[in-house]
Amino acid sequence: MTPEEIVERFKFLGLNEQKAKETLKNANVTKVLLAALDEVQLQSLPLGAGILIYHLATKIKPQTMSKLNFICQYIASGKLDSTLRVDAALDYLLGNINEANVNIEEFEKACGVGVIVTPEQVEQAVEKHMVKYKQELLEKRYRFNSGIIMQAVRADLTWADGKAIKSEVDVQIFDLLGPKTEADLAPVPKAKKEAKAGDTTKKSKKEETKVSKQANVESSEDIGGATSISELMKKLPFHAPGENYKSDGYVVTPDTKRLLEEHLKITGGKVRTRFPPEPNGILHIGHAKAININFGYAAAHDGVCFLRYDDTNPEKEEEKFFIGIKDMVEWLGYKPYKITHSSDYFDQLYEWAIQLIKKDLAYVCHQKSEDIKGFNPPPSPWRNRPVEESLQLFEDMKNGKIDEGDATLRMKITLEEGKQDPVAYRIRFKPHHRTGNKWCIYPTYDYTHCLCDSIEHITHSLCTKEFQSRRSSYYWLCNALGIYCPVQWEYGRLNVNYTVVSKRKIAKLIEEGIVNDWDDPRLYTLSALRRGGVPAAAVNAFCAALGVTGALGAVDPALLHAAVRDHLNVTAPRAMVVLEPLKIRIVNFPSEQPISIQVPDFPSEPERGSHSVTFDKVIYIEATDFKEEMEKGYRRLTPTQSVGLRHAGYVIKVSKVIKDPSGKVLELECTAESTDSSEKPKAFIHWVSEPISIEVRLYEPLFKHKNPEDPNEVPGGFLSDCRDDTLKVMEAYADSSIKGAKVYDKFQFERIGFFSVDPDSSQTHMVFNRTVSLKEDTGK
């Protein structure tokens, strides 16, 4: 059938030509719609039934496709005469998916077949609910949300026609209020929004918009950004616990209904998710999204989330990674319901492997790993070996009688991308950190993941998009063993430009001395972000702003930095620090003793507290805040131009420039005048007096190119893309108010940027890492 012929058939349903052509672009709907058309006689359909057939084709799920003819006949006979009844029919069939034959009496009752709602019933129901809202209606008049009444009437009269309800509500409101007045027709005045402490800057608002646009792709399943993870998670259109069968692609078996009932008894109907990292490296920014989605979805729906270590590879797992993962989950603000390990279930996983072999759904194979890589490996010559032979060989594998690489256990299934018979077990003569030498065979991700989800009765197995190709294996394996099967949902992973997150590549950067360790602030591991002063709340806000999409893309680090600035701007108290100190002696200092000055922690909100700084005859300013020769546009201190001192209430003027023999400026002698009597200076600068010495580390981006791993952008490999001098260590002077700061405390150094106390700090020597910089200073 040609596209033109299909469009003509669709037009017979009542679709206009444009809608028919648009429908043709959707292969799935077209396929179902053509199948539905084969079940009915178009010429004898009741009025409006064609549109109901179209509605059916857009709503039906694969699980109920076997009942397509059944529903079509009900529409053709006029018994399902509204989209409301069609939807009810689909819901009933989904809820009774395991029933071979439809219980007609129950089905028709669930769909309201034969139920007639009279105009009198609609009128009486509207009157009943109008009484409840009469006073509010009189106050708000036509600005009242009449949808509230329509919804209440719908609850009373399930099968009433929506148009009839709306018409009756409109009539009765008109009878109560009369015609609209000029006030009713006037536009609603826009409410002025008051600025709040937490409001973002104009720039960061633009960044947020950019994040949202970047997160959105052309997919009906994409969820745009939100202001919080909780808000975002409540938008996700996932199934309710126990309604797994309603999810697209879920495989229903004769045991599904029983298993779901048992599952609900165990979970109490609560949402259960899990975060399942491999304990073979440090978590990075991409993991932050996974943590927020898994823990956040559970929290938003009053559920629980497991932290499950996928510890099936003893060669690469280390205790520090287990500890580091837990620390980062807790740093982001989440507490696991329970900490588990895939190794907790090794005995059960082994027993299930035996069951698969006995069912002839798994076999022992001797192909080498290099022989079965790629998309078109040769089929295994051992695929059809006798069950008893595979059982004995698998036992030999378990008992260490077969060398590494000489045998694997493979499952008899073809994955979505065509890969055949994924490996379930392989031999590794390595002791396990938890089970010791008990095992020398270890299960793979393809085998372990879904089975552990089943054991823990996970309701939503949330994973990144690259695992979509494993979904068929996931469902197949649970159903092959006759155990509870969770639902797998996929989302696009988070990548960030100008960085690498591969454990192997980060290890190479450390080995080459380019970065210091896994928590070096130039990296985008979570421990590095924390050490660099990035607040956990800012990371979570960043993830929320990105939304949840199916797209695999990368975002610019500037988007994360914008979220960090937004958070720190209202949480990090101000402090005055000079990075390159220039000594100034005030020759006419107005006091015999140092003066104590109260400086607000947050200048725009002085009520939030203050700290004391000392103002004495010797102060230090930034070397860049003084120039010997005046330049056009320069607004700070010169021999001919005075400058104000922030918070001090004084303006200083140069009286003498003191230099060393080479001509370098060592010190300035200045006079001070109160701001009350002096001319207003062009700028006010920060300063310190009686300071403490601190170490400041300024970090620059590590890589030159957006995609340092892309050979087209960086032919020489990612190591060749590293910048020189990405770390600058400086001895700086700070006001003494920060002396008692603790590790990870954060400050905004006035006019410089945000900084955090580094774990390297000691009681005698404080170290600060830059978090993010402010906008370039304009000299104000």
Side-chain angles (χ1 to χ4, degrees):
M1 189 181 298
T2 66
E4 291 75 15
E5 290 172 327
I6 295 173
V7 167
E8 287 304 314
R9 292 202 74 188
F10 287 174
K11 286 166 68 175
F12 271 112
L13 292 172
L15 304 181
N16 60 39
E17 186 161 356
Q18 182 182 354
K19 187 66 176 176
K21 288 180 177 178
E22 287 176 0
T23 302
L24 187 62
K25 295 176 184 178
N26 189 319
N28 288 333
V29 173
T30 296
K31 181 180 177 182
V32 176
L33 200 49
L34 289 174
L37 289 172
D38 289 340
E39 304 293 345
V40 297
Q41 293 293 326
L42 278 175
Q43 292 77 7
S44 58
L45 284 177
L47 184 65
I51 296 300
L52 295 180
I53 295 285
Y54 172 79
H55 180 78
L56 168 65
T58 62
K59 294 289 186 179
I60 194 167
K61 293 183 180 294
Q63 298 94 305
T64 49
M65 272 299 293
S66 61
K67 301 292 193 301
L68 180 66
N69 176 54
F70 176 81
I71 306 174
C72 286
Q73 296 310 317
Y74 261 81
I75 293 174
S77 67
K79 291 181 177 180
L80 297 179
D81 57 1
S82 68
T83 57
L84 195 65
R85 285 192 166 95
V86 172
D87 289 341
L90 291 172
D91 284 343
Y92 177 86
L93 294 173
L94 266 176
N96 295 271
I97 199 76
N98 291 316
E99 306 298 330
N101 298 309
V102 179
N103 184 316
I104 298 300
E105 184 178 348
E106 284 186 3
F107 173 79
E108 293 191 349
K109 183 178 179 182
C111 301
V113 173
V115 176
I116 297 173
V117 179
T118 65
E120 290 76 14
Q121 288 176 296
V122 173
E123 182 181 353
Q124 290 167 8
V126 172
E127 283 178 358
K128 182 180 80 171
H129 292 289
M130 282 279 291
V131 170
K132 299 177 186 176
Y133 297 100
K134 182 177 179 180
Q135 190 57 41
E136 191 176 350
L137 269 160
L138 291 171
E139 291 173 2
K140 295 182 178 178
R141 292 184 57 79
Y142 286 100
R143 302 195 196 283
F144 176 79
N145 180 11
S146 59
I148 298 171
I149 297 175
M150 289 188 276
Q151 189 176 6
V153 174
R154 171 70 75 196
D156 289 349
L157 304 174
T158 305
W159 306 111
D161 179 69
K163 291 181 180 178
I165 294 174
K166 185 179 187 310
S167 177
E168 183 61 34
V169 170
D170 289 345
V171 167
Q172 293 199 28
I173 288 178
F174 183 83
D175 288 343
L176 176 67
L177 303 179
K180 289 185 178 180
T181 65
E182 288 186 13
D184 294 325
L185 296 170
V188 181
K190 291 183 179 179
K192 292 183 179 179
K193 293 184 179 179
E194 292 184 9
K196 296 180 180 178
D199 286 351
T200 54
T201 62
K202 288 183 180 179
K203 178 181 177 182
S204 60
K205 281 293 184 186
K206 289 178 183 177
E207 297 283 16
E208 271 186 29
T209 305
K210 190 176 177 184
V211 174
S212 299
K213 287 181 179 178
Q214 203 150 359
N216 279 311
V217 295
E218 293 180 4
S219 168
S220 59
E221 295 180 1
D222 292 339
I223 305 300
T227 57
S228 70
I229 289 295
S230 177
E231 179 190 336
L232 177 64
M233 293 300 103
K234 288 175 181 176
K235 293 182 180 181
L236 297 181
F238 294 161
H239 69 283
E243 295 185 354
N244 304 30
Y245 55 85
K246 291 187 177 181
S247 303
D248 286 343
Y250 190 79
V251 179
V252 176
T253 73
D255 294 325
T256 297
K257 186 176 181 181
R258 172 183 60 80
L259 291 169
L260 287 176
E261 288 172 351
E262 293 173 359
H263 160 73
L264 288 173
K265 287 179 183 177
I266 291 168
T267 65
K270 277 186 174 289
V271 165
R272 284 190 172 204
T273 60
R274 79 291 165 274
F275 173 57
E278 295 179 67
N280 61 357
I282 298 297
L283 301 184
H284 54 73
I285 185 65
H287 290 110
K289 180 177 179 180
I291 291 169
N292 271 294
I293 288 177
N294 280 286
F295 281 92
Y297 186 77
H301 295 83
D302 193 29
V304 299
C305 183
F306 291 73
L307 169 57
R308 185 204 308 146
Y309 293 109
D310 185 29
D311 57 342
T312 58
N313 189 351
E315 293 176 283
K316 298 182 179 180
E317 292 154 9
E318 297 181 37
E319 186 63 25
K320 69 177 181 181
F321 296 138
F322 285 85
I323 296 169
I325 288 169
K326 178 175 177 290
D327 284 349
M328 289 302 99
V329 168
E330 292 177 348
W331 175 61
L332 289 176
Y334 297 109
K335 182 174 177 58
Y337 166 68
K338 189 182 289 185
I339 296 177
T340 60
H341 307 74
S342 295
S343 57
D344 296 339
Y345 312 119
F346 276 179
D347 289 317
Q348 178 63 76
L349 297 178
Y350 176 75
E351 291 302 320
W352 276 335
I354 298 293
Q355 285 186 39
L356 285 178
I357 297 171
K358 287 180 177 179
K359 291 182 175 185
D360 199 20
L361 296 175
Y363 63 96
V364 172
C365 175
H366 302 291
Q367 284 178 296
K368 300 296 183 183
S369 60
E370 56 270 19
D371 295 333
I372 60 175
K373 285 181 179 178
F375 289 101
N376 293 298
S380 172
W382 293 280
R383 195 173 201 267
N384 296 314
R385 76 188 323 159
V387 167
E388 291 303 321
E389 192 175 313
S390 281
L391 284 171
Q392 183 58 57
L393 287 168
F394 190 52
E395 183 73 11
D396 290 345
M397 287 171 62
K398 174 180 174 289
N399 292 332
K401 295 181 179 180
I402 301 177
D403 289 338
E404 281 190 25
D406 285 353
T408 58
L409 182 71
R410 296 176 68 181
M411 299 176 282
K412 291 187 176 181
I413 179 179
T414 300
L415 300 179
E416 279 93 334
E417 76 270 23
K419 183 178 179 182
Q420 197 173 53
D421 298 357
V423 172
Y425 271 88
R426 72 277 200 213
I427 302 168
R428 291 287 186 274
F429 291 118
K430 298 283 184 183
H432 191 275
H433 71 287
R434 298 187 73 246
T435 61
N437 293 310
K438 179 177 179 180
W439 300 94
C440 63
I441 56 171
Y442 293 98
T444 62
Y445 175 91
D446 283 328
Y447 179 76
T448 307
H449 184 65
C450 62
L451 300 184
C452 289
D453 281 353
S454 178
I455 291 170
E456 294 176 352
H457 281 271
I458 301 304
T459 58
H460 301 76
S461 182
L462 309 175
C463 56
T464 47
K465 203 71 176 177
E466 64 264 32
F467 293 104
Q468 185 170 348
S469 62
R470 270 83 169 259
R471 197 199 294 178
S472 60
S473 169
Y474 188 107
Y475 292 160
W476 174 86
L477 188 48
C478 289
N479 290 329
L481 292 166
I483 60 177
Y484 162 71
C485 183
V487 178
Q488 177 172 307
W489 292 91
E490 304 92 12
Y491 58 88
R493 70 185 300 169
L494 168 60
N495 292 322
V496 176
N497 293 325
Y498 298 101
T499 190
V500 297
V501 294
S502 157
K503 303 177 188 76
R504 179 179 59 81
K505 290 175 180 175
I506 292 176
K508 190 67 176 173
L509 289 171
I510 296 170
E511 180 186 323
E512 295 292 325
I514 296 170
V515 298
N516 296 323
D517 208 339
W518 293 89
D519 62 353
D520 189 296
R522 287 166 288 188
L523 299 174
Y524 280 80
T525 62
L526 293 185
S527 56
L529 292 174
R530 179 176 66 169
R531 184 165 193 173
V534 172
V539 175
N540 295 345
F542 169 66
C543 292
L546 289 174
V548 178
T549 77
L552 178 61
V555 298
D556 194 278
L559 303 179
L560 174 59
H561 297 163
V564 173
R565 278 192 295 270
D566 286 346
H567 182 81
L568 288 177
N569 200 41
V570 295
T571 59
R574 276 47 167 178
M576 292 196 290
V577 175
V578 291
L579 300 185
E580 300 178 73
L582 173 61
K583 184 177 179 180
I584 288 184
R585 185 178 301 277
I586 301 175
V587 295
N588 65 334
F589 191 72
S591 171
E592 292 295 323
Q593 301 295 326
I595 300 172
S596 180
I597 296 174
Q598 289 300 117
V599 176
D601 293 334
F602 299 90
S604 61
E605 299 174 273
E607 67 278 5
R608 293 181 63 186
S610 62
H611 58 275
S612 177
V613 301
T614 299
F615 180 42
D616 204 353
K617 61 174 64 75
V618 173
I619 66 171
Y620 298 87
I621 68 170
E622 290 286 357
T624 54
D625 282 344
F626 171 73
K627 284 186 182 295
E628 277 196 90
E629 300 294 331
M630 185 66 183
E631 294 178 4
K632 185 178 180 181
Y634 188 73
R635 301 170 61 194
R636 302 169 215 168
L637 190 61
T638 72
T640 60
Q641 180 169 275
S642 60
V643 72
L645 300 178
R646 287 175 67 81
H647 309 297
Y650 284 90
V651 174
I652 58 173
K653 185 175 183 180
V654 177
S655 57
K656 184 178 181 181
V657 178
I658 302 171
K659 304 179 182 180
D660 67 9
S662 68
K664 179 182 177 182
V665 176
L666 293 179
E667 183 179 336
L668 302 177
E669 288 186 359
C670 294
T671 56
E673 185 178 354
S674 171
T675 53
D676 294 334
S677 57
S678 68
E679 288 187 20
K680 185 177 180 180
K682 290 184 178 179
F684 282 81
I685 61 173
H686 64 284
W687 53 273
V688 294
S689 183
E690 296 187 8
I692 61 171
S693 179
I694 63 172
E695 180 180 305
V696 169
R697 297 172 183 166
L698 305 177
Y699 294 93
E700 296 295 329
L702 191 59
F703 294 100
K704 303 170 188 173
H705 290 85
K706 185 181 289 186
N707 302 302
E709 297 171 274
D710 186 344
N712 293 321
E713 280 192 48
V714 188
F718 75 101
L719 288 178
S720 71
D721 198 47
C722 293
R723 297 176 183 272
D724 296 326
D725 303 322
T726 54
L727 169 60
K728 185 177 183 180
V729 180
M730 310 177 75
E731 286 297 321
Y733 284 173
D735 71 55
S736 58
S737 66
I738 66 174
K739 192 172 184 179
K742 300 183 291 294
V743 169
Y744 298 128
D745 278 358
K746 297 161 185 64
F747 297 89
Q748 183 182 135
F749 291 174
E750 294 203 28
R751 296 173 59 230
I752 301 173
F754 296 98
F755 288 76
S756 175
V757 184
D758 188 271
D760 274 352
S761 293
S762 65
Q763 287 184 334
T764 58
H765 190 65
M766 298 188 70
V767 180
F768 286 81
N769 291 325
R770 175 175 294 200
T771 302
V772 290
S773 60
L774 299 172
K775 293 180 183 178
E776 187 174 345
D777 177 52
T778 57
K780 60 184 178 181

